[in-house]
Amino acid sequence: MDKLRKIFTLDSIILPLVAIVLGLLVGAVVMLIGGYNPLVAYGALVQRVIGNPYDFGETIRQITPLMFTGLAVAFAFRSGMFNIGADGQVLIGMTVATAISLSFKGLPSAILVPLAVIGGGIGGGLWAAIAGYLKAKRGINEVITTIMLNWTALYFSNYIIRNFYLLKGQNRSENIDASASMTFLNDVFNNARVHWGTVIALLTAVFFFVYLWKTKQGYEMRSVGLNPNAAEYAGMNVGRNIVKAMFISGVFAGLAGTFEVLGVFHYQSVFAASPGYGFDGIAVALLGMNHPFGVVLGSILYGVLTYGSAGMSFSAGVPPELIKIVIGSIIFFIAAQGIVRIVLKPFYLKRKKEKVS
């Protein structure tokens, strides 16, 4: 019972919920100023998400990469690193998974699928570990290196696809074989692109929690993140923990790209710009307050709002870009918790008076 009380604290439950409500209210005010009906708009958003099995399945598909990249950013942050390179790590995960799937077409599914998943994850992890190594050995700020590695990953991935796996006459790779596909429950969701990556993303969140809070290695990583000087004085290897944290973070992001290839598109495009999953992951990590289970909920909220925004546009005539104002407002109120506490203050004063009386 005491453990439950620690988990369901004021900061972990009430503050994010109030922040979400305030963000939705800000969005409603903006809609009213623009001449739109917020009740109709939000109703259309909900209808778009749960109105039929296909859209519900596609919403789950939208949530999955956000969950992976949100966990990647949150894991690095908990370890004292700011991983802005998740987008590049997603691309490397995509490319490695595509290369393995197309290079070993003859292998049975039981071998090919795990090989592609492991390869994509490790590819993203090694790409992130470059920034970790430069931080640990040379003291180079990981924000700079991860941003640069995003662009390097974009052009490197495009080079690999163009020169080795390009489908003739198309700006994308060949399709992977059905033996490498990870879709499931397609009949239940009217052929929506639901895949096993969603289940693995949830297991990844559990791993995140257990590893960081229940193991010695996780304790060291959190200690390095909180105070590297104190951790070093206590005998912990700061450099090794930095590289390890970035590697694990990159594995999470690499898996996001892996499942986009194996479970959603079944090919890889030649990208003109970064796909943006990693940057959305930063927002999801902030929404989840860098806690793995918070990130899961944050990814659900972000995915629902993003996918449902199309319903706002078609049914209520509201520009889909307006949903970014809602998401930005929610993040603002979560970051500025002092404002939320001011809003809640009258309720707490009333509660105190009731307890005294």
Side-chain angles (χ1 to χ4, degrees):
M1 201 65 184
D2 290 335
K3 287 183 178 179
L4 285 175
R5 286 195 193 99
K6 287 179 182 178
I7 294 172
F8 296 106
T9 58
L10 170 67
D11 287 343
S12 64
I13 298 296
I14 297 178
L15 288 180
L17 287 176
V18 174
I20 291 168
V21 172
L22 291 174
L24 293 172
L25 287 174
V26 169
V29 170
V30 174
M31 288 181 213
L32 287 171
I33 293 172
Y36 304 105
N37 187 329
L39 294 178
V40 173
Y42 286 139
L45 185 149
V46 174
Q47 181 64 26
R48 169 75 173 183
V49 172
I50 62 173
N52 59 71
Y54 175 81
D55 283 325
F56 187 64
E58 282 295 302
T59 303
I60 295 172
R61 190 269 308 167
Q62 180 88 28
I63 289 165
T64 302
L66 296 173
M67 204 180 301
F68 275 120
T69 54
L71 290 169
V73 174
F75 190 92
F77 189 84
R78 286 285 181 179
S79 306
M81 303 285 286
F82 196 12
N83 183 10
I84 302 184
D87 225 44
Q89 295 143 29
V90 168
L91 285 170
I92 295 299
M94 278 185 177
T95 305
V96 174
T98 302
I100 290 173
S101 300
L102 294 177
S103 299
F104 301 99
K105 283 185 177 181
L107 290 177
S109 181
I111 297 174
L112 184 57
V113 169
L115 188 63
V117 171
I118 293 169
I122 291 175
L126 292 175
W127 198 258
I130 296 171
Y133 176 82
L134 292 172
K135 169 85 170 184
K137 296 298 181 182
R138 302 297 179 200
I140 301 174
N141 190 289
E142 73 277 9
V143 173
I144 297 170
T145 52
T146 50
I147 289 173
M148 294 174 69
L149 284 168
N150 278 339
W151 289 102
T152 308
L154 174 64
Y155 295 122
F156 177 70
S157 297
N158 286 347
Y159 172 82
I160 295 295
I161 299 302
R162 278 200 186 103
N163 288 275
F164 299 102
Y165 303 106
L166 194 69
L167 181 64
K168 190 174 181 180
Q170 300 291 323
N171 208 29
R172 66 176 181 87
S173 73
E174 301 170 19
N175 287 333
I176 65 170
D177 282 353
S179 60
S181 175
M182 292 198 71
T183 54
F184 81 125
L185 296 178
N186 297 92
D187 294 335
V188 175
F189 293 104
N190 289 352
N191 291 320
R193 294 168 293 177
V194 182
H195 53 84
W196 284 103
T198 307
V199 177
I200 295 176
L202 293 170
L203 293 175
T204 299
V206 174
F207 167 80
F208 183 150
F209 177 78
V210 172
Y211 187 83
L212 271 193
W213 278 278
K214 303 297 180 181
T215 67
K216 177 187 172 184
Q217 293 85 355
Y219 175 78
E220 286 191 6
M221 280 190 186
R222 287 187 294 116
S223 299
V224 169
L226 291 169
N227 193 327
N229 294 325
E232 187 175 18
Y233 183 77
M236 300 175 190
N237 190 322
V238 174
R240 183 177 63 193
N241 277 288
I242 287 173
V243 176
K244 192 193 299 183
M246 285 299 290
F247 174 79
I248 295 173
S249 173
V251 168
F252 295 167
L255 288 174
T258 298
F259 288 111
E260 286 298 282
V261 170
L262 302 184
V264 180
F265 299 109
H266 304 133
Y267 62 84
Q268 181 174 339
S269 299
V270 175
F271 292 99
S274 219
Y277 294 123
F279 298 111
D280 289 340
I282 296 173
V284 169
L286 290 171
L287 284 172
M289 300 176 74
N290 295 304
H291 190 284
F293 302 138
V295 168
V296 171
L297 297 175
S299 65
I300 292 171
L301 174 66
Y302 198 106
V304 165
L305 291 175
T306 303
Y307 188 78
S309 63
M312 292 171 57
S313 178
F314 292 129
S315 301
V318 179
E321 291 80 11
L322 193 141
I323 207 66
K324 297 294 183 182
I325 297 175
V326 176
I327 294 170
S329 300
I330 294 170
I331 294 171
F332 170 78
F333 286 118
I334 286 176
Q337 292 183 11
I339 297 174
V340 179
R341 285 193 172 92
I342 290 171
V343 173
L344 291 172
K345 193 173 181 180
F347 297 97
Y348 292 127
L349 290 174
K350 183 180 178 182
R351 193 175 173 185
K352 279 184 181 180
K353 286 180 182 178
E354 288 176 353
K355 283 184 178 180
V356 171
S357 60

